[in-house]
Amino acid sequence: MVIRKNEAIILRSRDYSESDRLITFFTKSNGRLTGIAKGARRSKKRFVHSLEQLSYVTIAYADRSTSGLVRIDASELRSAFTGLRGDLARLGYASLSCEMVLEISPERQSNSALFSLLLQYLHQLEQGADPENTSLLFQVRMLSLSGYAPNFQTCVFCGQEAYSGKNWYVSIAEGGLLCTAHPGIHGTYPLSVGTVMLLRRAQQTSLTKLWRLRFDRKSREGCRVFLLDLIRHHLEKDLKSLKLLRQIGALNAAG
Amino acid sequence: MPAYPPSLERLIKHLSKLPGIGEKTAARLALYLLRAPGDLAESLSASILEVRRNIGLCSKCFNLSDEDPCHICTDMSRDLGVICVVEEVGDLLALEKAGAFRGRYHVLQGVLAPLEGVGPDNLRIKELLQRVQRETIREVILAINPSAEGEATATYVAGLVREKGVNVSQIALGIPMGGDLKYTDAVTLRRALDGRRESQ
């Protein structure tokens, strides 16, 4: 049995049996893991309220194999992102990002870039960044870091550079951009060349500069629908967090 | 070949489905019920059936009750102008046991939980707002657990109740009785300091 200590973000926390908790957490160096925290519902000293969803912690766990549950021994809170608790829309967007990482990242596969992205995204949300804009940037970058990035460079059929032309389409089935020379393809989403450039920058720019990018009101709607459809296509299921965002009016029903 | 007669095996199987009961404990309980003195088994089964038939939710506060409205809602000696909002029936029972609150309750039946797909429409928030509008309420006390979801729910409900022109307060958060500052987490300590009050 190997004892590990790791930085982690708690993605999901559920009650398990009489006094335990089943925790799914995303670590910086070991990817997504699920473990049992024995007595976490009763012990106020060992875990001191650090195993709640969205908490950024230093977690110690015993791992005895290459699969299955780990045993969580201790957890120390680094940030609880308490600023998100006073705003339901922000909490909803934060939960949406956790659910995306939970579903899209394979178990025990290290992805430190995705960890840094999620951590910075939660900080941005807590510090008052526009939740919808920040969420779109997170989604574009998360898809890139998880290997699901659409091709925003050239037309997937004729190879035309996305610098030229005014209007473009993006197709989930074809995995990228289509220029106007290929009409009649089903299931495409129209994008202006400016939006294509922005999506491209969101895929490539450094993490510190990512949050400076801004989607204008017009491009937001189209990008939101396209990105959520793309994520739904890869996961083959709907995300539960969207239900709350729709109910409180933070997300258009079309999303 | 099963070790117990089929009917006893069935009882053990059913008992082991209860929370916190494993197969061994279920077998011990079943054997005890079999040999129990008097009419324990009969009265236990009658009580279970009675509870299943008669217990429902109070249509006003959503507490568990065998009458509608429940005994708390119909108790005229309680303060009718104050509603204490709780997450679950268990929280209501804890407050009643403490005997510190003499108003009436409203059980939300959960908290907003994005990852579980629980939104405002899945809770009894609409019914709370109707009560606040219909009855003469001067204060709504939010006694919702201070988890991330609980706090977000409290903030959301507080905003909606305030829009109706009613005072909203929230129970204090801090060091528990007999607690130890050394073992208290940073968030609780900060909240305890923020919520300090003048010494009596």
Side-chain angles (χ1 to χ4, degrees), chain B residues 38-161:
Chain B
D39 61 347
L40 179 70
E42 282 79 11
S43 52
L44 177 66
S45 58
S47 295
I48 293 171
L49 285 175
E50 193 188 349
V51 161
R52 290 286 295 174
R53 280 192 202 116
N54 299 339
I55 298 282
L57 292 179
C58 167
S59 58
K60 277 180 99 172
C61 71
F62 302 98
N63 180 19
L64 286 177
S65 174
D66 51 8
E67 51 197 4
D68 190 19
C70 70
H71 69 283
I72 296 177
C73 286
T74 49
D75 184 352
M76 287 300 150
S77 68
R78 298 183 81 108
D79 187 342
L80 305 182
V82 186
I83 293 178
C84 180
V85 179
V86 293
E87 199 177 311
E88 302 284 357
V89 172
D91 303 325
L92 182 155
L93 294 174
L95 283 163
E96 276 297 283
K97 230 178 188 176
F101 179 66
R102 289 297 299 161
R104 289 180 300 167
Y105 295 93
H106 189 89
V107 186
L108 286 180
Q109 301 290 341
V111 281
L112 300 168
L115 275 182
E116 309 300 328
V118 180
D121 297 353
N122 306 100
L123 302 179
R124 302 293 186 175
I125 295 175
K126 197 173 69 196
E127 289 84 351
L128 171 68
L129 298 176
Q130 282 167 357
R131 275 184 81 182
V132 164
Q133 209 155 25
R134 218 173 31 227
E135 300 167 22
T136 319
I137 304 298
R138 52 174 206 283
E139 186 182 2
V140 169
I141 302 171
L142 299 172
I144 301 173
N145 293 318
S147 60
E149 289 98 343
E151 291 203 337
T153 307
T155 311
Y156 181 72
V157 172
L160 294 175
V161 173

Side-chain angles (χ1 to χ4, degrees), chain A residues 119-168:
Chain A
L119 187 60
Q120 281 207 18
Y121 171 69
L122 294 175
H123 275 302
Q124 289 288 327
L125 274 184
E126 192 186 29
Q127 284 161 14
D130 176 348
E132 193 180 16
N133 186 68
T134 323
S135 175
L136 291 176
L137 295 169
F138 170 83
Q139 289 169 43
V140 177
R141 195 56 166 255
M142 180 202 67
L143 287 164
S144 280
L145 296 172
S146 309
Y148 295 111
N151 176 3
F152 291 130
Q153 311 296 320
T154 55
C155 172
V156 291
F157 281 160
C158 65
Q160 190 192 154
E161 278 279 334
Y163 289 111
S164 53
K166 272 189 179 171
N167 292 309
W168 288 80

Side-chain angles (χ1 to χ4, degrees), chain A residues 136 139-140 143 223-232:
Chain A
L136 291 176
Q139 289 169 43
V140 177
L143 287 164
C223 286
R224 176 162 49 78
V225 174
F226 162 65
L227 287 167
L228 288 177
D229 281 353
L230 179 62
I231 292 166
R232 191 184 295 130

Side-chain angles (χ1 to χ4, degrees), chain A residues 79-207:
Chain A
S79 172
F81 295 109
T82 47
L84 299 174
R85 298 178 178 199
D87 186 332
L88 192 54
R90 280 177 198 282
L91 184 82
Y93 274 107
S95 296
L96 179 66
S97 67
C98 281
E99 192 179 357
M100 284 174 177
V101 172
L102 186 78
E103 297 293 346
I104 221 161
S105 61
E107 197 178 35
R108 293 169 185 272
Q109 210 169 94
S110 170
N111 193 339
S112 58
L114 183 56
F115 178 85
S116 303
L117 175 74
L118 180 60
L119 187 60
Q120 281 207 18
Y121 171 69
L122 294 175
H123 275 302
Q124 289 288 327
L125 274 184
E126 192 186 29
Q127 284 161 14
D130 176 348
E132 193 180 16
N133 186 68
T134 323
S135 175
L136 291 176
L137 295 169
F138 170 83
Q139 289 169 43
V140 177
R141 195 56 166 255
M142 180 202 67
L143 287 164
S144 280
L145 296 172
S146 309
Y148 295 111
N151 176 3
F152 291 130
Q153 311 296 320
T154 55
C155 172
V156 291
F157 281 160
C158 65
Q160 190 192 154
E161 278 279 334
Y163 289 111
S164 53
K166 272 189 179 171
N167 292 309
W168 288 80
Y169 294 91
V170 63
S171 160
I172 290 174
E174 302 300 335
L177 291 176
L178 301 172
C179 65
T180 45
H182 313 288
I185 307 280
H186 286 290
T188 57
Y189 303 77
L191 296 176
S192 70
V193 74
T195 308
V196 173
M197 293 295 127
L198 190 62
L199 289 166
R200 226 153 98 166
R201 284 185 66 192
Q203 284 181 335
Q204 295 166 345
T205 193
S206 70
L207 201 50

Side-chain angles (χ1 to χ4, degrees), chain A residues 11-12 14 18 44-45 48-49 52-53 77 80 82 85-86 88 91-92 95 99 240-241 243-244 247-248, chain B residues 19-20 112-122 146-149 151-152 155-156 183 185 187-188 191:
Chain A
L11 299 179
R12 188 166 60 194
R14 282 180 170 168
E18 286 296 286
K44 300 285 179 249
K45 291 181 182 171
V48 280
H49 316 296
E52 277 196 56
Q53 193 210 345
L77 193 67
T82 47
R85 298 178 178 199
L88 192 54
L91 184 82
S95 296
E99 192 179 357
K240 288 180 183 170
S241 310
K243 194 174 160 190
L244 178 131
Q247 281 189 20
I248 61 169
Chain B
L112 300 168
L115 275 182
E116 309 300 328
V118 180
D121 297 353
N122 306 100
S147 60
E149 289 98 343
E151 291 203 337
T155 311
Y156 181 72
Y183 294 117
D185 64 291
V187 179
T188 308
R191 297 280 178 91

